[in-house]
Amino acid sequence: MSRAGRETLAWTRRHLLGLEDLSAEELTAVLDTARGFSEISTRSIRKVPTLRGRVVANLFYEDSTRTRLSFSLAAQRLSADVLSFTKSGSSTSKGETLIDTARNIEAMGVDVFVVRHKAPGAPHVLARHLEGSVVNAGDGAHEHPTQALLDCHTIREARGKIEGLHVAIVGDIGHSRVARSNLFALKTLGAKVTLVGPPTLVSGRFRELGAEVSHDLDEVLPEIDVINMLRIQRERQGHLNFPSLVEYSRRFALNEKRMKRAKKDVLVMHPGPLNRGVEITPEVADGPNSVILNQVASGLAVRMAVLFLVTAAKERAQKEQHSTEQAALPSGGAS
Ligand code: NCD
């Protein structure tokens, strides 16, 4: 059996809603499939017919630059047709519910819904109401599975492995779906994860999810192989959870002075959007250790892999159901 065939079989889920309950085999199946797809971006014609005739609908109820464009381009590279819904300008302002909107779009013949919503669990609700596959593109502060998968892909391609590495995720952990999904995937793949930030943003309760917790970046920095810097999610905070941004930056920003304490080959990551001068200085964001733009490139390959795998799983399940129904018919069929 081909490698691609084996990866497809290791993946049987119709939806990708989160990473909390994914096995190492499933995570690796996505990363291996993404590795195969990343080659397509180097060709002169950057398109394959894998999802020709299928429709991918992006349902974005929250702002997005990278994730929305990346899913659109990933679907187009696989030759799928793409529908793009954003909340502003839609009938949401006329009172239409999420489920009604999605069902109406599904009636146009949609195979995969990519959903971003401020309510945790919104993609899970849709998965129960729709025939098509649902991919979570960020639900409130809950999960952002494709971001964590692309982060894992970036680390794996740069370092050749994830197991045994020490990854620090720094910043507004309490409000971050990126931190949660990264923690689940990295732990399952054998990395050590330390969550770093002020006590108001990083609760000790994250230890229950298998993370180390630190409130002192300077102390942990010398041991770290990969540092993932997060934005302060002010849109999810009622008020600032620390005295001032200046004070926050003094203790937690990644700047050139701090980088001197880090390993020479530390990988510097950030999911974007960057708040330059708050959590990371321009010199570090654009410096030699930064793989921030590699993350964006990885995102395309990972999203191609996810769209392909969920569609293949759904179509396999439908075929199996069809054969079971055929086998249950009395022999000789209808007269
Ligand atoms: C993140 C998000 O939206 O959760 N960004 C992204 O998807 N690239 C992180 C953030 O908004 O800070």
Side-chain angles (χ1 to χ4, degrees):
M1 188 186 296
S2 71
R3 249 186 58 188
R6 275 201 304 278
E7 284 140 16
T8 316
L9 288 181
W11 183 272
T12 56
R13 293 174 191 258
R14 184 156 73 94
H15 308 293
L16 176 65
L17 301 175
L19 301 185
E20 189 167 9
D21 59 348
L22 258 60
S23 66
E25 290 69 34
E26 289 175 303
L27 294 168
T28 307
V30 180
L31 300 180
D32 287 348
T33 308
R35 185 176 277 166
F37 278 133
S38 64
E39 183 267 325
I40 293 164
S41 298
T42 65
R43 297 184 190 170
S44 57
I45 296 175
R46 292 172 283 179
K47 212 170 180 125
V48 288
T50 315
L51 292 187
R52 194 166 52 196
R54 306 332 188 277
V55 180
V56 174
N58 284 327
L59 256 59
F60 276 66
Y61 283 80
E62 256 193 355
D63 293 347
S64 171
T65 301
R66 273 152 296 270
T67 307
R68 189 160 55 86
L69 292 177
S70 176
F71 266 112
S72 294
L73 191 55
Q76 288 168 30
R77 290 242 159 125
L78 296 171
S79 302
D81 295 317
V82 180
L83 296 177
S84 237
F85 166 96
T86 49
K87 189 179 158 201
S88 71
S90 76
S91 289
T92 305
S93 63
K94 301 179 190 167
E96 188 167 52
T97 66
L98 170 67
I99 293 170
D100 278 340
T101 301
R103 275 189 158 156
N104 277 267
I105 296 174
E106 181 160 64
M108 298 177 202
V110 172
D111 298 280
V112 185
F113 288 88
V114 176
V115 183
R116 170 170 286 195
H117 201 283
K118 70 174 192 308
H124 305 65
V125 172
L126 284 185
R128 287 199 292 274
H129 284 86
L130 299 172
E131 295 290 314
S133 294
V134 176
V135 176
N136 182 357
D139 60 331
H142 179 222
E143 282 230 40
H144 191 349
T146 58
Q147 179 66 45
L149 285 163
L150 75 86
D151 291 340
C152 289
H153 186 261
T154 307
I155 297 170
R156 195 176 183 234
E157 297 307 297
R159 282 296 152 81
K161 61 167 189 177
I162 289 174
E163 191 170 3
L165 296 179
H166 189 172
V167 181
I169 308 175
V170 184
D172 188 359
I173 308 296
H175 297 97
S176 175
R177 53 197 177 200
V178 176
R180 287 173 61 85
S181 290
N182 261 281
L183 173 61
F184 298 138
L186 289 166
K187 288 293 298 172
T188 304
L189 293 171
K192 176 176 171 184
V193 179
T194 301
L195 304 175
V196 188
T200 44
L201 297 181
V202 190
S203 144
R205 296 204 61 180
F206 279 102
R207 293 194 179 95
E208 292 164 23
L209 298 178
E212 311 276 319
V213 170
S214 167
H215 307 301
D216 187 343
L217 178 56
D218 289 318
E219 189 181 69
V220 296
L221 204 46
E223 298 166 22
I224 298 301
D225 300 298
V226 179
I227 183 161
N228 198 347
M229 302 303 297
L230 303 181
R231 183 175 66 89
I232 301 291
Q233 314 245 310
R234 294 183 74 161
E235 72 277 21
R236 300 216 178 96
Q237 300 182 8
H239 55 90
L240 262 193
N241 279 316
F242 39 83
S244 73
L245 280 180
V246 174
E247 168 69 8
Y248 176 83
S249 299
R250 207 176 55 73
R251 293 191 52 209
F252 295 103
L254 197 56
N255 52 33
E256 279 190 307
K257 183 163 165 251
R258 224 163 233 136
M259 280 294 281
K260 295 202 171 73
R261 299 179 64 82
K263 290 185 181 173
K264 285 247 156 329
D265 62 349
V266 66
L267 290 184
V268 173
M269 302 177 66
H270 193 304
L274 265 66
N275 284 159
R276 288 172 179 260
V278 180
E279 71 275 9
I280 191 164
T281 59
E283 298 72 35
V284 178
D286 306 326
N289 296 74
S290 170
V291 288
I292 294 172
L293 295 180
N294 303 37
Q295 288 173 263
V296 181
S298 296
L300 199 53
V302 160
R303 289 178 175 124
M304 287 169 80
V306 167
L307 292 174
F308 164 64
L309 289 170
V310 294
T311 308
K314 177 170 66 98
E315 292 179 2
R316 238 183 6 251
Q318 282 167 346
K319 230 188 237 159
E320 277 160 21
Q321 195 186 342
H322 182 71
S323 332
T324 317
E325 280 164 11
Q326 289 294 312
L329 286 176
S331 55
S335 57

